[in-house]
Amino acid sequence: MSEQGNRVLILGASFAGLYCAEFLHDLAKKSNAPKPEITVIDRKNYVLFTAFLPEVVSNQINPMTITPSVRRILGKRDVQFHEAEILDIDLDNKRVRTSQGTFEGDVLVLALGGITHYFGNESFEKYGYPYKWMPDALKLRNHVIDCLEKADRSTDIEERRKLLTFVQAGAGCCGMEVMTELTEFLHKVSGKVYRNINFFRDVRLILAEGLGRVLPTLEDPVSRAATEKMRRRGIDVRTDTFVTAVGPGWVSLKQNGIEEKLDSDTLIWVAGVNANPHTAALSVEKDRAGRIMVHRLYNGADHEGVYAIGDNASCPDEKGDPLATTAQVAVQQGPALARNLIAQWEGR
């Protein structure tokens, strides 16, 4: 450890990591503690504002407006940023080997985010359309437009039905937003841009949720109101329903032991988030999703000076349940960890 012990190495430049770096820099300027040396590493040089990602599929937002560069956000702050691919992480020495060299610090913050969770089913990954990153959104939008183009000129009723049947797995916060934006887009262009398509006659939207209600992390009244609103928009909301298999041109659903095979070219996969492979591979205590078990101050892994925030952390709330893997949680954890570090350096 250095004499000051204030070299902070942050892995990940999404909400949790970037907010931590910004607040740590700004708070340190007002503190009597030694000035920290902050380094941020990420494989991409931009930040994705995921809350607006569903609106890409409906063409309500320009993708460039929700992907600002990391350096632009950091501005004139004295924070070093390196665009690099992480190869391995050494917790004991707080050292990270990357495609651009090796970095180490006195404090190591794991904020690498998560990846799409396919529950070990390769067919979901092969044939499904995930919705977590900007390339996912653009790929799905292009696919939907391609389906509309083919259906608009097709005279085969079965082919049109298959092209215009959209199945989505997952009805959490992100999933509900994606389905809502897709519905609005299809309703807007049907009969107008695509004159041979009637939204109510031709388009079929199926929302499958494995749990007993949509928006399972929110209160029951909110869930019920959302279900009613989705159904009024023509969406077939199915709870206690699992996608069991998918292939070219078909999707299988299972509800209450009854399996149904649907003709569809589209399975949108918004069914869960798994921990980043780098953190999931660490020999530390983790939850079932591969997230590191941390305490209220975000320290964990039985390694002094190692912290995990955002989608990398399984952090308990007041009831002991893990906090959700959402941007709202990440933007609070980053500044909270920054305040904790400053307090520690000040001897508080």
Side-chain angles (χ1 to χ4, degrees):
M1 217 179 212
S2 68
E3 182 178 352
Q4 294 181 342
N6 65 337
R7 296 174 301 162
V8 181
L9 182 58
I10 301 175
L11 307 185
S14 289
F15 287 116
L18 205 55
Y19 270 72
C20 181
E22 287 185 314
F23 273 75
L24 186 59
H25 174 274
D26 295 349
L27 290 172
K29 293 177 66 175
K30 307 172 185 177
S31 170
N32 294 325
K35 180 181 177 183
E37 301 173 13
I38 307 170
T39 302
V40 179
I41 301 174
D42 200 299
R43 62 182 177 83
K44 60 185 188 310
N45 62 4
Y46 64 88
V47 181
L48 174 62
F49 282 77
T50 51
F52 297 102
L53 191 60
E55 290 161 312
V56 173
V57 75
S58 60
N59 203 31
Q60 295 297 311
I61 198 166
N62 184 335
M64 297 302 295
T65 63
I66 61 171
T67 52
S69 71
V70 172
R71 295 181 185 277
R72 180 179 178 184
I73 292 177
L74 290 174
K76 296 182 180 180
R77 292 181 177 89
D78 189 12
V79 177
Q80 294 295 316
F81 171 72
H82 297 276
E83 180 184 1
E85 191 77 35
I86 292 173
L87 302 178
D88 59 63
I89 302 171
D90 179 358
L91 294 183
D92 293 327
N93 297 297
K94 303 178 188 64
R95 183 181 299 131
V96 179
R97 188 168 63 90
T98 77
S99 58
Q100 300 299 322
T102 300
F103 302 85
E104 62 180 38
D106 303 306
V107 173
L108 177 62
V109 180
L110 303 173
L112 288 167
I115 60 172
T116 302
H117 191 7
Y118 294 103
F119 301 93
N121 192 313
E122 294 182 359
S123 68
F124 296 160
E125 184 174 4
K126 182 177 180 180
Y127 296 105
Y129 287 85
Y131 210 89
K132 184 168 179 59
W133 308 111
M134 181 58 72
D136 298 336
L138 296 174
K139 183 179 179 180
L140 177 60
R141 183 175 181 276
N142 291 337
H143 169 74
V144 170
I145 292 174
D146 188 51
C147 288
L148 290 167
E149 291 287 346
K150 292 177 180 178
D152 188 62
R153 63 176 181 266
S154 176
T155 56
D156 187 316
I157 296 178
E158 292 185 0
E159 181 188 30
R160 285 167 59 88
R161 185 70 165 173
K162 183 176 74 171
L163 288 166
L164 298 176
T165 295
F166 302 93
V167 182
Q168 179 176 304
C173 294
C174 180
M176 293 289 277
E177 292 174 1
V178 172
M179 178 55 76
T180 300
E181 291 296 330
L182 175 62
T183 303
E184 291 298 314
F185 175 69
L186 293 170
H187 185 270
K188 181 172 65 176
V189 300
S190 297
K192 300 174 183 177
V193 179
Y194 298 96
R195 299 179 182 179
N196 296 322
I197 297 175
N198 182 289
F199 177 82
F200 298 100
R201 180 194 65 203
D202 301 323
V203 177
R204 188 181 186 190
L205 296 155
I206 300 172
L207 180 60
E209 169 56 50
L211 298 179
R213 60 189 180 92
V214 303
L215 297 174
T217 60
L218 303 182
E219 301 295 329
D220 282 341
V222 178
S223 177
R224 289 195 297 270
T227 300
E228 294 173 3
K229 189 170 185 178
M230 298 289 269
R231 285 173 174 162
R232 285 199 302 269
R233 294 186 176 188
I235 300 168
D236 182 2
V237 180
R238 303 187 187 186
T239 55
D240 295 310
T241 303
F242 296 90
V243 176
T244 57
V246 59
W250 58 271
V251 179
S252 285
L253 303 179
K254 189 174 184 179
Q255 184 181 39
N256 299 324
I258 301 174
E259 193 133 0
E260 179 184 5
K261 189 174 183 179
L262 301 169
D263 290 330
S264 172
D265 281 340
T266 309
L267 171 63
I268 306 170
W269 189 260
V270 201
V273 177
N274 226 357
N276 187 282
H278 289 294
T279 53
L282 296 174
S283 298
V284 295
E285 185 182 3
K286 298 182 286 287
D287 64 9
R288 290 185 300 175
R291 296 181 298 172
I292 296 174
M293 304 291 291
V294 299
H295 306 295
R296 290 179 60 250
L297 300 180
Y298 313 116
N299 57 308
D302 296 325
H303 291 77
E304 183 182 356
V306 176
Y307 302 86
I309 52 178
D311 290 353
N312 284 176
S314 181
C315 183
D317 61 13
E318 294 83 355
K319 299 178 182 178
D321 299 322
L323 295 171
T325 54
T326 63
Q328 291 90 333
V329 171
V331 298
Q332 295 178 68
Q333 289 182 334
L337 176 55
R339 289 191 290 269
N340 291 343
L341 291 174
I342 292 292
Q344 179 181 334
W345 293 335
E346 291 177 344
R348 295 189 285 114

